Amino acid sequence: MLLPFQCVLICSFRETEILLAASGSSVYSFDLKCGSVLSTWPSEHCNLSSDGSSLVPQAQNSQPLSKRRNSPSNEDVTISPAKSRFADGYSKSTDTNFVIKLAGTSNGQHIIAVTEDKCVHVLSLSSEGALIQLSERFMPKKPCSVLFTPDEKTILCGDKSGDVYSLPVIVSTQKFDETGRGSREEPKLTSKPFVPAASPQTVHTQRNLEALRMQQRLTNQVAKKKTLQFTHQLLLGHVSLLTDLACVTLHDRTSPEISKRTYIITSDRDEHIRVSRGIPQTHIIEAYCLGHTEFVSKLCIPPWNDKLLISGGGDDFLLIWDWLSGKARQKVDLRDPIDSFIRSVVPLNSNSNTKSDFPPIAELLPEGDDREDRIAVSGLWALRNSQAPSEGAGDFIIVNCEGLAAIFIFALNCAGNMKFLEFISLPGNVIDAAVQQDKSRIIFSIDNYHNPSSTTVIAGPEERASRPMLGCISFDESEDYRRIRFVKNVVARVDHGAKTQEPAEDADSVMERGSTLPNLLYGVGTLRKRAGQEDHE
């Protein structure tokens, strides 16, 4: 069984709609119209011919599954299965080098894939769905959030130490091996003449004199500090772990000299949201948005109203900000919607005959924790219904809380106020989602490995195979303003494309090797500080 998709991203070209989905250490590209697999990155799993066309068999193909490759005579040939990536000869660090972040430009031509080895990969995506790596850069700390600036010429990368760097999208040419990955080059270390701090006049014992003679024989000392060997710039920093960042450009009507100004908004584990000016004035802090009492994990700026900011994290509420002034406009309750969801899936009376596919409430809450500690906002997405009958009638904010098999839909009116509409129960926990504004739909990935609304209990093999891994909610102007669809055949096609060459990463195999799959899928709740931890940070 394929690993759940921990990251998803939608890229739209003129006539092609491509979904990028990261499963383990691989990124798959799908054609949204027919559901076929177009390519895989890195190319050790790649099913592309030299011209970029897909070699993965379609679902309706009844022929036996085998590896097909375009030979010089244009005839199909069968390739023997490749060595398993879990077999000896593949290091554990390579096997578990999972993709943790995906980001893309508006035209979909450039993609960022961040892996657990602190590497930022820049890929190009063709209209045929072929993924080609352009560069890779290893950061000093693991990136927590990446995005493109509005002009899409610069990458903003925030790491776990609280720093935000800027990197150019296009760098000098870099050679890659046949697998599609570049070889990591260690930074060159500068050297300087070594001069011992001690001297024969300050050392008296025989042992220390012998140590001094050995030090004097050394001619050079290697510098301990390693410098990054690529173009980068440190923009700003937090004193706490950075959790999310956003970048927005506003037109400045008050200053005729400045037609537009860019801002960088960052959040951290210490309940802070900071508004800084964009490059090159990132040292100027415009405002702080203070109002959360727990960590802030997600920021969302509606594309149709870029002066609003919605933030959420470990609190039982969301906050709507006028972020340029740092003032909170509204506090939106999350406790009642979540309690309504729990009451709907868990029978209140143990003697009730109501059947539920969901686990008992004891599994919904960690032992010894109260319900407030259960809330951890892991997703905030803004979606506008382009077919709404009036302006503002189809503006939605979609919220996902970690470890709950539901999404919560809020209406956002023209005045910038939010109101809870409903929750939608799903067959599994939502891991990530991608919004397609022009189609008024959101595509989300589902965890089919764990039980619904649980991050620890593993589902049975049959149940895992029957669950979808992708879902879609479309909004229209009908009486029922939403349509829900779940996708299953995409997973089968991924399995078909991997069985005959390099097996796709299997969730059971990853768990058997000691990897922490829950940490890959569910890491937001770990941002919560424990009792007494505030005194030390």
Side-chain angles (χ1 to χ4, degrees):
M1 177 62 66
L2 193 71
L3 280 171
F5 296 122
Q6 69 266 20
C7 303
V8 292
L9 177 68
I10 297 177
C11 301
S12 299
F13 293 90
R14 294 180 179 178
E15 299 179 355
T16 308
E17 297 174 352
I18 297 175
L19 173 69
L20 299 180
S23 175
S25 58
S26 300
V27 179
Y28 299 91
S29 63
F30 301 96
D31 188 339
L32 281 177
K33 293 183 179 180
C34 62
S36 61
V37 182
L38 300 176
S39 70
T40 310
W41 175 87
S43 58
E44 59 191 4
H45 299 300
C46 190
N47 299 303
L48 291 181
S49 63
S50 58
D51 61 354
S53 59
S54 176
L55 297 179
V56 178
Q58 300 297 325
Q60 63 271 20
N61 195 335
S62 59
Q63 297 179 357
L65 296 176
S66 61
K67 174 65 182 179
R68 296 190 296 172
R69 180 180 296 173
N70 287 347
S71 62
S73 58
N74 294 328
E75 295 177 356
D76 291 344
V77 293
T78 302
I79 306 298
S80 60
K83 186 177 181 180
S84 171
R85 80 183 285 110
F86 306 128
D88 294 338
Y90 287 81
S91 64
K92 183 177 180 180
S93 61
T94 301
D95 293 341
T96 58
N97 191 23
F98 296 144
V99 177
I100 56 177
K101 293 292 179 182
L102 280 180
T105 57
S106 59
N107 58 11
Q109 291 184 356
H110 292 99
I111 307 297
I112 302 173
V114 180
T115 49
E116 283 193 326
D117 59 353
K118 302 181 291 187
C119 185
V120 177
H121 305 265
V122 177
L123 315 174
S124 66
L125 179 65
S126 67
S127 58
E128 292 80 17
L131 288 165
I132 302 174
Q133 180 161 306
L134 302 179
S135 66
E136 61 178 18
R137 283 158 278 186
F138 290 88
M139 305 302 296
K141 299 293 182 180
K142 181 185 291 186
C144 298
S145 182
V146 292
L147 53 80
F148 289 93
T149 54
D151 60 6
E152 299 182 344
K153 296 180 180 179
T154 306
I155 300 172
L156 297 182
C157 178
D159 61 29
K160 63 183 299 182
S161 65
D163 295 330
V164 178
Y165 292 88
S166 66
L167 312 171
V169 176
I170 305 298
V171 295
S172 59
T173 58
Q174 185 176 5
K175 294 183 179 180
F176 298 91
D177 56 24
E178 59 184 4
T179 66
R181 288 194 188 277
S183 59
R184 178 172 182 175
E185 297 182 0
E186 294 291 339
K188 295 182 179 179
L189 305 180
T190 59
S191 60
K192 58 182 180 180
F194 173 67
V195 178
S199 66
Q201 288 75 24
T202 60
V203 175
H204 305 287
T205 65
Q206 187 67 26
R207 179 184 299 178
N208 290 343
L209 284 172
E210 182 63 26
L212 178 60
R213 294 189 194 99
M214 295 180 63
Q215 292 179 5
Q216 289 175 339
R217 295 190 190 104
L218 300 177
T219 56
N220 290 314
Q221 181 185 28
V222 177
K224 295 182 179 180
K225 186 175 181 180
K226 298 180 180 180
T227 58
L228 299 179
Q229 300 297 307
F230 53 83
T231 303
H232 68 285
Q233 181 182 2
L234 178 62
L235 300 181
L236 55 92
H238 286 239
V239 295
S240 180
L241 188 149
L242 189 139
T243 56
D244 202 6
L245 62 89
C247 187
V248 62
T249 299
L250 296 181
H251 292 276
D252 192 350
R253 299 178 180 177
T254 60
S255 177
E257 297 83 6
I258 305 176
S259 59
K260 58 183 180 180
R261 175 168 286 168
T262 301
Y263 300 88
I264 299 175
I265 307 174
T266 51
S267 62
D268 62 26
R269 189 187 181 192
D270 285 341
E271 310 96 36
H272 302 147
I273 301 175
R274 189 169 86 181
V275 181
S276 307
R277 288 191 184 180
I279 303 172
Q281 296 179 315
T282 53
H283 60 282
I284 300 178
I285 300 175
E286 288 286 345
Y288 280 98
C289 299
L290 304 178
H292 285 279
T293 60
E294 291 286 350
F295 62 88
V296 183
S297 56
K298 287 298 175 182
L299 303 175
C300 176
I301 298 179
W304 60 86
N305 190 348
D306 51 14
K307 294 185 178 181
L308 286 183
L309 171 68
I310 299 98
S311 62
D315 294 307
D316 58 354
F317 55 83
L318 303 175
L319 286 176
I320 304 179
W321 302 91
D322 180 358
W323 55 266
L324 196 54
S325 63
K327 296 181 180 178
R329 299 168 55 100
Q330 184 187 4
K331 179 185 290 187
V332 183
D333 180 58
L334 279 178
R335 171 59 48 205
D336 288 343
I338 291 179
D339 284 346
S340 299
F341 164 71
I342 294 177
R343 286 193 297 267
S344 69
V345 299
V346 179
L348 296 179
N349 186 354
S350 59
N351 298 324
S352 173
N353 295 326
T354 304
K355 295 183 179 180
S356 175
D357 295 332
F358 292 81
I361 195 170
E363 293 184 8
L364 290 175
L365 304 174
E367 183 179 357
D369 289 348
D370 55 22
R371 289 192 175 185
E372 291 184 357
D373 285 347
R374 183 60 181 174
I375 293 183
V377 176
S378 58
L380 281 175
W381 303 280
L383 178 62
R384 162 165 279 190
N385 184 4
S386 57
Q387 302 180 10
S390 60
E391 183 179 358
D395 298 342
F396 305 101
I397 301 297
I398 300 175
V399 182
N400 174 46
C401 293
E402 188 174 73
L404 294 181
I407 58 174
F408 302 87
I409 300 180
F410 294 79
L412 181 66
N413 60 22
C414 296
N417 298 320
M418 279 176 56
K419 179 182 179 182
F420 174 67
L421 292 181
E422 66 168 340
F423 63 84
I424 301 177
S425 298
L426 300 172
N429 305 333
V430 174
I431 305 174
D432 194 18
V435 173
Q436 194 173 12
Q437 296 288 352
D438 56 341
K439 299 291 184 180
S440 301
R441 66 182 179 184
I442 179 171
I443 297 177
F444 49 88
S445 59
I446 299 175
D447 179 10
N448 66 331
Y449 189 74
H450 297 90
N451 278 347
S453 296
S454 174
T455 61
T456 56
V457 181
I458 300 175
E462 296 182 358
E463 188 176 2
R464 277 181 276 166
S466 62
R467 280 195 201 151
M469 294 179 65
L470 292 172
C472 175
I473 297 180
S474 301
F475 294 83
D476 53 28
E477 58 183 354
S478 62
E479 186 175 344
D480 183 11
Y481 67 90
R482 57 177 173 80
R483 294 176 295 170
I484 305 177
R485 294 177 295 164
F486 297 106
V487 184
K488 295 183 180 180
N489 59 343
V490 171
V491 180
R493 296 180 186 182
V494 171
D495 289 338
H496 292 172
K499 281 180 180 178
T500 55
Q501 185 185 0
E502 192 85 10
E505 287 171 305
D506 179 80
D508 292 328
S509 302
V510 171
M511 296 293 285
E512 289 174 0
R513 298 197 324 273
S515 299
T516 53
L517 181 61
N519 290 343
L520 172 66
L521 305 179
Y522 308 107
V524 179
T526 60
L527 297 173
R528 192 180 307 278
K529 296 179 180 179
R530 299 178 181 178
Q533 193 171 359
E534 293 86 349
D535 299 334
H536 302 285
E537 297 192 5

